């Protein structure tokens, strides 16, 4: 390392670094680990004191509820290459359940439980079992076509076209056709009205910016089913210790590979020299120079703040400023009194619980959210985090609840937070009657909270548009405005939602490929 | 500044502030439309106007061109983004010409930039570019005002342009330095321009006073008006390509791209080793290999038509994109877009004339081609 020590950071220039990763979120950790694995001296800068944001451990009250995490609570699309390459199983990743069943609870109080693999025969569905089998087989085949895209392996126009053009016998037109259709149009082919269709409608709308009747709204579900948990396509898994355990494993893997992690160190500028990234400037004025810079921050922060519009191509700037729907998912941690203590209840709570409002109510919820209002009926996904522990706790239990759709709320205030909390509790009450009265403690986690903790710009937490639009934004942001040596793996580079890691892997691989071509040895 | 191609299908072109004055001295009364504005093609006789420019001074109505006042702390940053002219390095009063490029390094348009004060610039483009400026201004502390309709502009061009201006009461201190003066009570700014290889200046003043300044020049400076047809001859002789006819400026169809600076023969206006500009990184890292080159030709004949076939070594190589008869070269001259594969191949160049006969042709040595060659040599 060459370092010119000065009186302050302003005069300090640090060299001898091969790669810099800006942002210590999950994708930043993945990118850093890949770069360090190749023998490159890699430094990761995180402005806060925590790694893995926006995912972080949530502790409530005096009792420790294992596995509660802010940001995400389930895993459905963690890139299998990341798991293998970074040896995450050895670094602590294991699943308490790798194929959760889902119980859908409807407004009428009816319940419907679907298996973790929708393709498995469900004889109790009687007349709709065949339709579900055909639907799931076709859709899983179409979703499998998307894997090169969701894994970040395909970025070029031709690769994207290839991924979308293959035919699927069970679904004419394959993934390409399914991507542009509305969820309602797809369901019309297979299902009559009824609980099964209502459940799938809620699934398609959950965490999406598009209501189920709008074009491309089916693509979100397809992207989710392109993912896998431990080799099980379309499954939803619960990691032991919760989603935060994945982040911990990523951190351990990065440290094991020799990544130099510098928390509480803010990057204020990405240096561009001769059309290529040359390093970063830190908040104390010091410089760290490296030929590879990977940004895991959101696109606005990376390009508009750390580089600045005056160094960006005009159309690139227009494209990264694409308007995104002001719709978000909000999390509520709830501690309930009087936890059931029988085995049956525990079995029931070991599932993913989804409150599926009637499709008309889902439509109305999206309309209200788009007007900036808080809807009456929300789609709820709840996990009883204690149900996956060895010991079933006595007395109390904690639910991690994700509610959708809610306004992104650029101007959130206490009253608005209280209204949001009340709406979530009201929908929770419809799902679990009496739950509202049993709440002993709760904590709301809004996009504002996640952004405020250094998780990124607020709009980075807005719900995802259709997959084609996500593809377009990902391609633009990954192009890094043709700045040599700069790679991007922020939230806009990821397709779909949830902990994934593919964007970090893709960015690191692109950097290594380029370095190899130019003969830059580690 | 070069005029863009005529919009031949325009219905009822609008008058520029100088239309009445120009119409009153037009003997030929042949008009066309440029950017929706009436522009005289010929006032008297093309060769007479051409000779006047070569030997003395002429004036032209530059009203159809687009002008933008750019002011603010980030004015230079904005102009650096949208044009290759080095706005940051200009001192107040200085002007520079450049290209407007898209993100892929394709040429959108030509541009001329003048720095009037530390934070006030004037940008002139052949075609209206408000959208490009609006997009580029996002995130910058800058105000862009389209002043195209608020001002009138006269080009004073020719070997005797400086003398003519001095006679009218306006002295230009240098080849690249702007000046201002009060002509018959009208606040007038003058910035040096080069129309092709001819020296000259562009006078800019409030639209309401257009006729006053025109009259002053006509009476005091002994100039005569020049139309587009004569300017077209001067343009091709100088090797300056015309947006819309020699290269396409509108958005390319899917899968296609705009022409690169090197393809239109102006690589010296987009140097990769000076200040940053939009599309530079694409030119450096990702630019496709040139497919066509725009070259100026002198053709052994009196008349060829745009679109005429060009052959190299007997094989089809491209098309004529614009042409005129040059009194100086005493034959037809024109621009041709020819395939990159044809460049450097041995064999005679031939062009199909208006009767379909093949005419021999040779590359025309122009001011722009000399600049491009010197630039390429310096780069290598």
């Amino acid at each position: 390392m060459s370092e010119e020590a000065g009186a302050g950071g302003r005069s300090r220039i640090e060299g001898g670094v091969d790669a810099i990763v800006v942002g210590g979120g999950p994708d930043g950790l993945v990118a850093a680990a890949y770069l360090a694995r190749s023998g490159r001296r890699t430094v990761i800068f995180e402005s806060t004191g925590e790694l893995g944001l926006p995912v972080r451990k949530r502790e409530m009250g005096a009792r420790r509820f294992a596995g509660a995490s802010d940001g995400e609570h389930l895993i459905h699309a963690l890139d299998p290459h990341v798991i293998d390459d970074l040896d995450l199983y050895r670094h602590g990743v294991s699943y308490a359940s790798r194929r959760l069943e889902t119980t859908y609870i409807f407004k009428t109080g009816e319940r419907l439980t679907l298996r973790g693999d929708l393709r498995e025969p469900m004889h109790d569905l009687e007349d709709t079992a065949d339709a579900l089998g055909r639907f799931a087989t076709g859709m899983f085949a179409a979703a499998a076509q998307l894997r090169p895209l969701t894994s970040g392996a395909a970025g070029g126009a031709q690769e994207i076209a290839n991924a979308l053009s293959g035919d699927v016998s069970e679904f004419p037109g394959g993934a390409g056709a399914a991507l542009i259709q509305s969820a309602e149009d797809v369901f019309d082919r297979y299902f009559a009205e009824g609980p099964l269709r209502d459940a799938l409608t809620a699934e398609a709308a959950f965490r999406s910016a598009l209501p189920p009747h709008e074009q491309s709204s089916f693509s979100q579900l397809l992207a989710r089913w392109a993912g896998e948990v431990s080799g099980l396509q379309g499954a939803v898994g619960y990691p032991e210790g919760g989603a935060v355990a994945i982040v911990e494993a990523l951190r351990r893997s990065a440290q094991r590979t020799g990544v130099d992690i510098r928390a509480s160190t803010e990057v204020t500028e990405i240096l561009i020299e001769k059309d290529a990234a040359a390093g970063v400037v830190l908040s104390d004025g010091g410089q760290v120079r490296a030929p590879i810079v990977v940004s895991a921050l959101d696109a606005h922060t990376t390009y508009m703040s750390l580089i600045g519009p005056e160094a960006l191509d005009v159309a690139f700037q227009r494209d990264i400023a694409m308007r995104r729907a002001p719709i978000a998912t909000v999390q509520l941690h709830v501690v309930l009194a009087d936890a059931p203590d029988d085995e049956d209840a525990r079995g029931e709570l070991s599932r993913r619980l989804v409150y599926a409002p009637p499709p008309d109510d889902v439509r109305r919820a999206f309309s209200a959210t788009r007007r900036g209002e808080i809807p009456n009926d929300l789609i709820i996904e709840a996990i009883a985090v204690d149900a996956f522990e060895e010991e079933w706790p006595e007395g109390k239990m904690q639910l991690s609840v994700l509610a959708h759709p809610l306004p992104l709320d650029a101007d959130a205030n206490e009253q608005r937070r209280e209204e949001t909390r009340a709406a979530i509790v009201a929908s929770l009450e419809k799902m679990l009657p009496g739950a509202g009265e049993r709440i002993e403690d709760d904590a709301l986690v809004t996009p504002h909270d996640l952004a405020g903790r250094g998780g990124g710009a607020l709009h980075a937490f807005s719900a995802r548009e259709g997959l084609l639009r996500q593809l377009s934004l990902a391609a633009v942001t990954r192009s890094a405005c043709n700045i040599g040596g700069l790679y991007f793996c922020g939230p806009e580079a990821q397709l779909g939602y949830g902990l994934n890691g593919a964007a970090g892997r893709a960015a690191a691989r692109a950097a290594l490929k380029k370095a190899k071509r130019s003969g830059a040895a580690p | 500044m070069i005029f863009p191609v005529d919009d031949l299908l325009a219905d009822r072109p609008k008058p520029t502030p100088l239309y009445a004055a120009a119409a009153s001295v037009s003997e030929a009364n042949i008009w066309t439309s440029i950017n929706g504005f009436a522009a005289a093609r010929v006032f008297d006789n093309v060769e007479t106007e051409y000779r006047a420019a070569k030997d003395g001074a002429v004036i032209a109505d530059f009203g159809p061109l687009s002008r933008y006042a750019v002011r603010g702390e980030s004015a230079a940053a904005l102009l650096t983004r949208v044009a290759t002219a080095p706005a940051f390095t200009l001192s107040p009063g200085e002007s520079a010409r450049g290209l407007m490029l898209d993100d892929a390094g394709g040429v959108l348009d030509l541009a001329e930039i003048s720095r009037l004060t530390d934070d006030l610039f004037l940008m002139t483009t052949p075609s209206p570019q408000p959208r490009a400026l609006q997009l580029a201004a996002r995130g910058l502390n800058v105000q862009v005002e389209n002043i195209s309709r608020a001002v009138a502009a006269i080009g004073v061009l020719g070997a005797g342009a400086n003398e003519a201006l001095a006679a009218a009461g306006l002295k230009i201190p240098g080849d690249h330095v702007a000046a201002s003066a009060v002509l018959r009570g009208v606040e007038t700014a003058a910035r040096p321009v080069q129309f092709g290889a001819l020296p000259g200046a562009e006078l800019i003043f409030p639209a309401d006073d257009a006729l006053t300044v025109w009259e002053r020049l006509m009476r005091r400076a002994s100039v005569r008006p020049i139309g587009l047809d004569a300017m077209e001859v001067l343009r091709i002789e100088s090797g300056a390509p015309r947006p819309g006819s020699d290269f396409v400026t509108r958005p390319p169809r899917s899968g296609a791209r705009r022409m690169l600076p090197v393809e239109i023969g102006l690589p010296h206006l987009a140097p990769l080793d000076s200040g940053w500009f939009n599309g530079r990184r694409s030119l450096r890292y990702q630019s496709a290999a040139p497919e066509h080159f725009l070259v100026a030709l002198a053709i052994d004949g009196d008349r060829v038509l745009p679109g005429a076939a060009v052959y190299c070594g007997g094989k089809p190589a491209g098309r004529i994109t614009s042409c005129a008869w040059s009194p100086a070269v005493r034959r037809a001259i024109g621009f041709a877009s020819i395939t990159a594969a044809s460049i450097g191949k041995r064999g005679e160049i031939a062009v199909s004339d208006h009767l379909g006969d093949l005419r021999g042709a040779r590359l025309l040595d122009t001011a722009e081609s000399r600049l491009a060659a010197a630039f390429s040599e310096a780069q290598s």
Side-chain angles (χ1 to χ4, degrees), chain A residues 378-396:
Chain A
L378 298 165
I379 305 166
I380 297 278
E381 178 188 77
I383 297 295
V385 294
D386 306 297
F388 302 97
E389 295 298 307
E390 291 281 319
E391 294 286 321
W392 180 246
E394 289 178 8
K396 299 174 184 177

Side-chain angles (χ1 to χ4, degrees), chain B residues 251-258:
Chain B
R253 69 184 187 282
S254 176
R257 61 170 175 81
R258 292 186 172 94

Side-chain angles (χ1 to χ4, degrees), chain A residues 275 311-312 314 317 481-482, chain B residues 81 103 278 280-282 284:
Chain A
D275 293 333
L312 301 178
V314 175
Q317 184 188 345
C481 199
N482 291 323
Chain B
R81 293 187 83 185
D103 281 19
N278 197 58
R280 191 179 81 169
R281 286 189 286 266
S282 285
R284 188 188 289 275

Side-chain angles (χ1 to χ4, degrees), chain A residues 494-511:
Chain A
Q494 180 182 332
L495 300 183
Y497 61 87
L499 272 174
N500 177 256
R505 173 174 172 264
R509 280 163 56 91

Side-chain angles (χ1 to χ4, degrees), chain B residues 108-380:
Chain B
L108 276 169
D109 210 344
L110 310 175
E112 284 189 3
I113 290 168
S114 299
R115 187 169 207 155
L116 304 180
T117 65
D118 278 344
D119 61 356
L120 174 62
F121 290 80
L122 173 71
M123 177 168 170
T124 309
T125 57
S127 304
Q129 299 291 352
R131 177 73 176 146
L133 283 160
Q134 182 194 18
L135 284 174
R138 285 184 185 176
L140 298 177
N141 179 14
V142 65
Q143 295 88 46
V144 180
E145 186 185 357
N146 185 346
I147 58 168
S148 308
R149 305 285 71 88
V151 300
I154 296 175
V156 183
L157 312 166
N162 284 348
E163 291 77 12
L165 285 167
L170 208 156
K171 188 164 171 53
I172 302 280
D175 286 347
H176 300 288
V177 183
S180 63
V182 177
L183 300 185
R184 279 198 69 188
V186 179
E187 191 75 43
T188 304
R191 65 181 193 96
V193 293
Q194 283 211 326
F195 190 90
L198 290 179
E202 181 183 40
L203 308 187
I204 301 165
F205 40 90
D208 292 345
D209 299 315
L211 302 184
T212 309
V213 178
W214 176 278
E215 276 303 306
R216 172 80 165 207
L217 287 167
M218 292 291 281
R219 287 178 189 281
R220 286 277 187 89
S222 304
V223 293
R224 59 185 309 152
I226 185 170
L228 290 176
D229 286 6
M231 286 201 284
E232 183 72 348
V233 183
L234 294 165
R235 175 187 75 81
I236 298 173
E237 282 181 357
S238 73
R242 186 175 187 185
S245 63
D246 295 323
F247 61 95
V248 174
T249 55
R250 65 179 178 275
R253 69 184 187 282
S254 176
R257 61 170 175 81
R258 292 186 172 94
M259 291 181 81
L260 304 172
V262 69
E263 290 176 321
I264 64 167
L266 302 175
H268 48 290
L269 294 186
L272 301 183
D273 52 0
S274 58
W276 185 79
F277 49 78
N278 197 58
R280 191 179 81 169
R281 286 189 286 266
S282 285
L283 288 179
R284 188 188 289 275
Y285 292 122
Q286 296 201 329
S287 193
E291 293 170 1
H292 292 83
F293 285 102
L294 202 58
V295 294
L297 296 176
I299 302 149
D300 296 334
D302 293 340
R303 194 173 171 207
V304 289
L305 298 172
V310 179
Y311 300 86
C312 284
K315 292 185 177 170
R319 298 250 169 217
I320 295 290
T321 54
S322 60
C323 51
W325 192 82
S326 164
V329 185
R330 305 213 62 78
R331 63 195 67 204
I333 58 172
F335 272 105
S337 173
I338 62 175
T339 58
S342 308
I343 291 283
K345 274 194 177 172
R346 290 190 177 182
E348 288 190 354
I349 304 173
V351 177
S352 172
D353 72 4
H354 66 294
L355 298 173
D357 297 331
L358 284 185
R359 301 281 184 169
R362 60 180 167 77
L363 294 177
L364 183 65
D365 185 34
T366 65
E368 291 291 2
S369 67
R370 284 191 292 276
L371 285 172
F375 174 79
S376 300
E377 195 175 326
Q379 292 290 302
S380 61

Side-chain angles (χ1 to χ4, degrees), chain A residues 274-285:
Chain A
K274 294 185 178 171
D275 293 333
V280 297
V281 178
L282 306 178
S283 55
D284 65 2

